[in-house]
Amino acid sequence: MNKHAPLGIDLAGVQAGRLAPADYAREFADCEAPLTAHQAVTEADRCHYCYDAPCSQACPADIDVPGFIHRVAQNNTRGAAELILKANVLGGICSRVCPTENLCQQACVRNAQDGKPLNIALLQRFATDQFFADGGKPLFVRAPATGKRVAVVGAGPAGLAVAHQLAVAGHEVDMFDASPKAGGLNEYGLARYKVGEDFASKEVAWLLSVGGIHFHPQTRLGLDVQLNTLREEYDAVFLGLGLAAVNDASLGSAEPTGVMDAVDFIARLRQSTDLSQLPVGRNVVVIGGGMTAIDAAVQAKKLGARDVTLVYRRGAESMKASPKEQAFAKDNGVTLRYWSAPLAYEQQNNQVTGVTFSVMAQSDTGLADSGERYTLAADWVLKAIGQAYDPAPAGAAITLKQGRILTNEQGQTSLPGVWAGGDCCFGGLDLTVDAVRQGKIAAVSIAQALSVATSHADFAGEHAHG
């Protein structure tokens, strides 16, 4: 009997230290081994170096894919990394987490020829890993100081991309984030087996080393700083707020102990220095169908859970998680159940003991409850039913569309002097690489606005003294 368990409940199944110390390192090692130098050159030699390459067109960050692959083939890894990082300053992390099978690799002409596209992701990782292993020598030189100041709220991919580009242009950037570390989801929201060895922090440290970016951790918009104040004190403001709110799955009653948000579980695991100290249930149920659900389910299994079941309300083809990710979960011992919607938490003395589901069916009017029920035993339930933009910190003055910030093609919001990008904005792909794309677009727009403002000020000054 667990001495911390409510009276009458045996929680021996919720334990830490299920694995031997060496097993944690093995379970959470890279899910895909990096290429060796020989393998990288061999793979690069398969490239046709297409003119107006479809792979480059499919990359949201506009990386010159044939260009960097050609440099890999020539053993010029620094040159390859330079092409990547000048287009996508987070190219290292993107090589690990970007769904390239749906983007650049899907567009590779090798697909049509032999059904085997180049492994662009692993080639990109090889180039960037070699660059950072060699000390990450500077690629960028800051322009002379402009005297302009920009506030960036949110240190995720979009905010980092904006901050870096504006700092290189000579502007001073103050970056604010509610978390202790910069990086956003790259630091707190990715599976540990996808991004290991503290790579996310190392890449951010290199990005910030360009200078001119002043990071203010644990500073929350709406509490520690106000948007109106930032608009008054800075020449421009960028909002990269992400999706801070978690969709509700209370199922009409207070949640019992043992029910938690999957994003919190993943963040805790990502920041842990000793995985053997993390508890995990014996029978874990994960509710959801996206990448967060997959990452949570697989990591629960890797921590030593006996049974992990991921339950989704529609069919496999409707899941946001790709077929590749679904297959990866199954390969790691996760059971996937489809066409099931959570109906109620089963509990005893306020401790979750299971989840009852409604079997769903597709009807002419949409998703319908078939009336059939079943219950899965669970001492842990991880909710991964999606996140939402929280409008409270920025206030009601910013126009939203379908619950997210509405911007124009340049990333401008409805508030003058305020830009936005990343997952908090309407119309994006909710991907790191797309957040970088939005950040780059906003940075160009901000720089142009600051240049125009400087020109107007100079013009007014000349006439005032003329």
Side-chain angles (χ1 to χ4, degrees):
M1 177 79 71
N2 186 318
K3 65 180 180 179
H4 300 296
L7 185 63
I9 303 296
D10 182 2
L11 291 185
V14 181
Q15 295 181 11
R18 290 185 177 277
L19 309 179
D23 291 339
Y24 286 101
R26 185 189 70 251
E27 290 292 339
F28 288 91
D30 280 334
C31 58
E32 191 168 13
L35 298 176
T36 65
H38 175 73
Q39 289 171 332
V41 171
T42 300
E43 184 67 9
D45 282 339
R46 297 181 59 233
C47 184
H48 288 317
Y49 310 118
C50 304
Y51 175 75
D52 200 20
C55 53
S56 293
Q57 295 180 40
C59 176
D62 297 321
I63 292 175
D64 178 1
V65 177
F68 93 73
I69 291 177
H70 187 233
R71 294 185 182 189
V72 170
Q74 295 176 321
N75 289 306
N76 180 9
T77 52
R78 177 177 169 82
E82 181 177 5
L83 273 185
I84 295 164
L85 295 171
K86 284 193 172 181
N88 179 356
V89 76
L90 295 175
I93 204 88
C94 285
S95 72
R96 289 160 164 80
V97 303
C98 187
T100 52
E101 66 274 11
N102 299 326
L103 298 170
C104 55
Q105 289 179 196
Q106 186 180 60
C108 178
V109 297
R110 280 284 192 178
N111 270 320
Q113 289 183 344
D114 52 28
K116 186 182 179 183
L118 264 74
N119 199 323
I120 297 171
L122 283 182
L123 286 169
Q124 181 169 319
R125 176 177 174 178
F126 174 78
T128 52
D129 278 4
Q130 293 295 309
F131 172 76
F132 287 115
D134 194 33
K137 297 174 184 176
L139 293 175
F140 302 89
V141 177
R142 291 192 69 203
T146 64
K148 297 295 183 180
R149 300 171 66 233
V150 180
V152 173
V153 185
L160 289 168
V162 165
H164 185 269
Q165 194 160 321
L166 292 176
V168 169
H171 308 303
E172 291 294 318
V173 179
D174 281 309
M175 175 177 282
F176 306 93
D177 197 274
S179 299
K181 298 180 182 180
L185 284 178
N186 290 348
E187 177 62 42
Y188 293 97
L190 298 175
R192 191 158 176 149
Y193 54 79
K194 291 180 178 177
V195 185
E197 299 179 349
D198 205 25
F199 181 83
S201 292
K202 292 176 183 177
E203 188 173 51
V204 168
W206 170 79
L207 183 153
L208 297 179
S209 71
V210 73
I213 304 172
H214 314 282
F215 179 53
H216 304 272
Q218 296 177 296
T219 305
R220 298 160 297 179
L221 183 67
L223 292 176
D224 304 305
V225 292
Q226 305 296 325
L227 181 55
N228 286 340
T229 303
L230 295 178
R231 294 178 68 199
E232 293 171 358
E233 296 180 353
Y234 290 85
D235 298 293
V237 178
F238 177 84
L239 302 178
L241 300 174
L243 303 177
V246 178
N247 291 335
D248 180 50
S250 60
L251 306 185
S253 61
E255 292 176 347
T257 301
V259 178
M260 67 199 78
D261 291 326
V263 291
D264 294 337
F265 167 66
I266 293 171
R268 191 184 317 157
L269 199 153
R270 284 278 304 166
Q271 298 304 308
S272 174
T273 57
D274 184 359
L275 295 178
S276 68
Q277 298 301 308
L278 290 181
V280 67
R282 176 184 286 128
N283 299 310
V284 179
V285 171
V286 180
I287 302 172
M291 285 303 310
T292 299
I294 294 287
D295 287 354
V298 172
Q299 291 188 113
K301 188 67 177 176
K302 285 180 174 290
L303 281 175
R306 184 183 65 193
D307 295 311
V308 178
T309 305
L310 186 153
V311 187
Y312 178 58
R313 63 194 179 100
R314 296 184 184 274
E317 69 285 349
S318 298
M319 286 181 67
K320 287 188 176 181
S322 68
K324 177 182 175 181
E325 292 290 339
Q326 293 180 54
F328 180 77
K330 293 176 182 177
D331 289 343
N332 280 273
V334 176
T335 300
L336 273 63
R337 300 189 67 158
Y338 306 104
W339 298 108
S340 302
L343 183 65
Y345 297 121
E346 305 302 325
Q347 56 185 290
Q348 186 177 350
N349 293 347
N350 198 41
Q351 168 65 40
V352 68
T353 59
V355 187
T356 295
F357 291 90
S358 302
V359 176
M360 309 303 289
Q362 193 68 39
S363 70
D364 293 338
T365 57
L367 203 60
D369 186 342
S370 70
E372 183 182 347
R373 307 283 186 263
Y374 69 91
T375 300
L376 294 177
D379 47 26
W380 254 34
V381 178
L382 300 173
K383 303 178 300 176
I385 57 172
Q387 296 168 267
Y389 169 66
D390 180 4
I398 293 181
T399 300
L400 306 182
K401 183 174 181 179
Q402 296 182 18
R404 301 198 193 189
I405 296 174
L406 180 64
T407 62
N408 65 13
E409 292 181 354
Q410 286 73 47
Q412 295 171 306
T413 73
S414 58
L415 281 180
V418 179
W419 285 255
D423 293 353
C424 66
C425 292
F426 170 78
L429 300 178
D430 290 354
L431 297 173
T432 295
V433 68
D434 193 56
V436 170
R437 177 190 67 83
Q438 293 179 57
K440 289 169 60 178
I441 291 171
V444 169
S445 178
I446 292 170
Q448 290 174 342
L450 297 183
S451 176
V452 170
T454 300
S455 299
H456 286 176
D458 291 343
F459 179 82
E462 290 173 4
H463 281 258
H465 296 89

